[in-house]
Amino acid sequence: MKLLRLVPKETNISFMSIHILAIFVSSSLVLLSLVGFFIIGLNTGIDFKGGTNIEVRVTKNDINTSYLRDLFRNTKIGEVNIQEFGKPQDYIISVQKQSEDKELEQNVVIIVKDILKNEFSEDVEFRRTETVGPVVSSQLKKDGAIALGAALLAMLIYIWFRFEWQFSIGAIIALTHDVILTLGFLVITKLEFNLATIAAILTIIGYSMNDTVVVYDRIRENLRKYKKLSIYDLLNLSVNNTLSRTILTSVTTLLALFALFIFGGANIAGFTLVMIWGV
């Protein structure tokens, strides 16, 4: 039986011949991502902005998220996000904090419940209400930034001890590049930036570092094996040696992620989409 091979057994692709172009493209995308991050900003969710989550069950037939969004389109409570949750009849209604009007913020739950009761009467059940205040959301922002910074620092120290300091600098530049481009992706797509997104970015960092270590190991082996080979040719050889492993790992991971994105529902759609981009 012939085995499936996505990459030929022996490849000789000259990756280093386009390294100037690759650096230019990556630098441009990083710059654009930073500009978008500071000028446009992220679409922060309730976790970081503050607001209210209301879980409801609507037993009336022929109801969907579009129908529910229309109910809140002209209300004064601001932006309302509605997602299916669990069973087809269950929904999460998220109302982000829009202003410093404390009276309006305190009445958000009452307004949402009144609208739903007037529309569905006995066909609506209110199951859970969660409110994230500004103090909690600011703490979550701080914790999220610390988590990302700590992950990058830990990777730097790990690579430093396992290889050499030159390798660690290269790894951190690569990881920072991945994180910044992911933020740029979030800015462009307007995906909600929440704790699940932080988890996705941390997972991307781990995935990227895993692949980096594999390539670094092969570079170190080839440095010992081919002492007279130029660094240009040695890097080409090392990347070609690990190309099959890299592509196979990425493809199998993407298959799982696309399955989660298609069948996992709206609750994890943002997480999986960020992961797909990262991989």
Side-chain angles (χ1 to χ4, degrees):
M1 180 178 178
K2 192 175 181 179
L3 296 176
L4 174 65
R5 186 176 290 276
L6 299 180
V7 180
K9 190 173 182 180
E10 297 294 337
T11 58
N12 189 25
I13 302 170
S14 181
F15 291 101
M16 290 300 292
S17 64
I18 59 168
H19 74 281
I20 298 297
L21 175 62
I23 291 172
F24 173 76
V25 172
S26 286
S27 300
S28 299
L29 290 175
V30 166
L31 181 61
L32 289 173
S33 297
L34 289 173
V35 170
F37 176 77
F38 287 109
I39 294 180
I40 301 174
L42 296 169
N43 177 28
T44 51
I46 286 177
D47 294 335
F48 299 115
K49 197 173 183 179
T52 304
N53 278 333
I54 304 170
E55 182 184 339
V56 301
R57 172 170 289 177
V58 181
T59 55
K60 188 176 180 180
N61 294 327
D62 301 325
I63 300 299
N64 53 36
T65 54
S66 297
Y67 184 95
L68 293 175
R69 286 192 189 100
D70 288 337
L71 293 178
F72 299 97
R73 192 173 299 279
N74 298 318
T75 59
K76 61 180 180 179
I77 59 177
E79 183 179 350
V80 178
N81 183 37
I82 300 173
Q83 294 181 332
E84 290 185 358
F85 177 80
K87 296 181 180 180
Q89 294 176 321
D90 294 344
Y91 301 91
I92 290 286
I93 301 174
S94 302
V95 185
Q96 291 190 5
K97 181 179 175 64
Q98 300 292 325
S99 67
E100 298 303 321
D101 188 339
K102 293 183 179 180
E103 184 178 350
L104 175 60
E105 292 297 326
Q106 291 172 353
N107 292 330
V108 162
V109 177
I110 297 174
I111 294 172
V112 170
K113 287 185 176 181
D114 286 344
I115 291 172
L116 293 174
K117 284 179 180 178
N118 290 336
E119 182 68 22
F120 302 114
S121 186
E122 300 298 323
D123 293 325
V124 61
E125 175 187 350
F126 300 96
R127 312 193 67 187
R128 178 169 55 93
T129 301
E130 294 178 345
T131 300
V132 179
V135 175
V136 176
S137 61
S138 62
Q139 183 64 39
L140 290 174
K141 279 184 182 178
K142 181 181 177 182
D143 291 345
I146 291 173
L148 288 175
L152 291 173
L153 180 61
M155 299 296 182
L156 171 65
I157 295 170
Y158 170 74
I159 294 294
W160 197 313
F161 279 97
R162 177 159 180 177
F163 298 96
E164 296 175 12
W165 66 269
Q166 296 96 329
F167 284 89
S168 64
I169 291 174
I172 290 302
I173 291 174
L175 289 176
T176 305
H177 162 273
D178 294 345
V179 171
I180 292 174
L181 288 192
T182 303
L183 293 176
F185 174 75
L186 289 167
V187 170
I188 292 173
T189 58
K190 291 295 182 182
L191 283 172
E192 186 177 288
F193 185 75
N194 49 32
L195 292 179
T197 311
I198 292 287
I201 294 174
L202 290 171
T203 308
I204 290 168
I205 289 173
Y207 186 93
S208 178
M209 178 54 67
N210 177 64
D211 196 55
T212 300
V213 168
V214 170
V215 177
Y216 275 5
D217 271 330
R218 187 54 58 92
I219 291 173
R220 185 169 57 179
E221 289 174 12
N222 288 336
L223 280 170
R224 295 169 181 169
K225 189 175 180 180
Y226 304 102
K227 294 183 179 180
K228 294 183 179 180
L229 200 64
S230 69
I231 191 66
Y232 183 97
D233 293 329
L234 189 137
L235 291 175
N236 265 330
L237 176 64
S238 301
V239 176
N240 277 283
N241 289 160
T242 56
L243 184 62
S244 178
R245 180 262 176 203
T246 299
I247 291 179
L248 287 173
T249 304
S250 298
V251 169
T252 52
T253 305
L254 285 172
L255 288 174
L257 288 172
F258 275 114
L260 286 172
F261 180 71
I262 295 169
F263 302 109
N267 290 321
I268 61 171
F271 173 86
T272 51
L273 195 57
V274 172
M275 280 294 300
I276 288 169
W277 165 260
V279 172

